[in-house]
Amino acid sequence: MPKLFVIPTPVGNLEDITLRALRLLREVNLILAEDTRTTSVLLHHYDIHTPMLSHHKFNEHQTVDTIVERLQKGESVALVSDAGTPAISDPGFLLVRACVAADIEVECLPGATAFVPALVDSGLPCDRFCFEGFLPQKKGRQTKLTELAAETRTMIFYESPFRVLKTLEQLAECLGNDRKASVSREISKKFEETVRGTLAELVQHFKEHPPKGEFVIVVAGQ
């Protein structure tokens, strides 16, 4: 039966992948990869030789129809991103939506995603939270931050090392210097680190320690 498998891949340590994910990556007709060079490292590590095709935010609008046609003809396809679960701040939503509209079965496997370990490691309440992904870089950024000032749930953000300090400063300005927060970087990798404190303390920390790696910021609700 044709099916789209949405398969999480490790966010760092290559051992963080399920046995079922490895089996399906071997069995499907095609793997859609956000960056074939990145996915090749994983496939080579596990001696998987399934054909790959690039599927990323710059071409997904053009490739969706072709992929749906291949699925309708009976092929099985796996969708992976560079790290974590596809469609979570990564390409994937457009293809899943198109498959659902075409009555093609979609199955998302459970697996790695960066924000869950960062949330648990933060020591902040995990029972109710909102995932905000990447904040708008320019238009709408200040409006979004102002809206979040009244959010009562724990908030989770993704951020690049180039904007971590700026984001922490803006969060402190809008939410208050004393708001509790946590910053995790390089989750499951060699230099994994979590720093906890108030937003003001985290701003000072990253002024003294230039940010490196990929970051998850977790902030306490109001």
Side-chain angles (χ1 to χ4, degrees), residues 2-220:
K3 182 187 286 191
L4 174 68
F5 294 97
V6 182
I7 299 182
T9 53
V11 297
N13 193 314
L14 292 181
E15 294 179 358
D16 294 337
I17 190 166
T18 68
L19 295 175
R20 182 157 69 109
L22 293 173
R23 175 177 61 80
L24 287 170
L25 288 173
R26 291 189 176 94
E27 293 178 354
V28 294
N29 300 109
L30 176 68
I31 296 173
L32 300 175
E34 183 179 3
D35 187 328
T36 55
R37 295 165 298 181
T38 300
T39 302
S40 290
V41 175
L42 176 69
L43 299 187
H44 182 263
H45 183 79
Y46 287 105
D47 196 29
I48 297 172
H49 305 283
T50 307
M52 281 192 293
L53 187 68
S54 293
H55 183 78
H56 47 72
K57 65 180 181 179
F58 301 109
N59 75 354
E60 58 181 342
H61 287 86
Q62 291 75 41
T63 58
V64 161
D65 290 342
T66 301
I67 296 164
V68 169
E69 288 176 6
R70 293 184 65 161
L71 284 157
Q72 288 173 325
K73 291 177 181 178
E75 293 191 37
S76 56
V77 175
L79 173 67
V80 301
S81 62
D82 289 348
T85 301
I88 305 298
S89 293
D90 278 325
F93 163 69
L94 289 178
L95 179 57
V96 170
R97 182 176 65 179
C99 288
V100 170
D103 290 326
I104 295 168
E105 190 172 355
V106 178
E107 182 176 355
C108 181
L109 275 64
T113 189
F115 76 79
V116 173
L119 172 62
V120 175
D121 284 346
S122 73
L124 298 171
C126 303
D127 54 337
R128 296 178 69 247
F129 61 89
C130 61
F131 173 68
E132 292 293 332
F134 289 94
L135 287 165
Q137 290 188 29
K138 294 181 181 179
K139 185 178 180 180
R141 185 180 180 91
Q142 191 59 46
T143 300
K144 170 57 71 173
L145 287 167
T146 302
E147 291 173 355
L148 291 172
E151 175 60 63
T152 59
R153 298 169 294 180
T154 301
M155 295 165 277
I156 306 169
F157 307 90
Y158 284 166
E159 195 50 275
S160 78
F162 310 107
R163 290 191 297 271
V164 165
L165 182 55
K166 175 184 176 182
T167 297
L168 289 170
E169 290 173 336
Q170 291 176 325
L171 286 167
E173 181 180 341
C174 291
L175 279 60
N177 285 323
D178 294 333
R179 185 73 66 93
K180 294 290 186 181
S182 169
V183 178
S184 295
R185 72 180 187 96
E186 297 293 86
I187 290 171
S188 84
K189 298 179 183 178
K190 182 178 180 180
F191 297 105
E192 178 176 357
E193 179 185 34
T194 295
V195 184
R196 306 171 185 85
T198 64
L199 286 170
E201 290 169 342
L202 292 172
V203 167
Q204 186 60 38
H205 174 84
F206 287 106
K207 283 181 177 179
E208 298 171 1
H209 303 84
K212 296 180 181 179
E214 298 300 320
F215 287 79
V216 184
I217 301 172
V218 183
V219 184

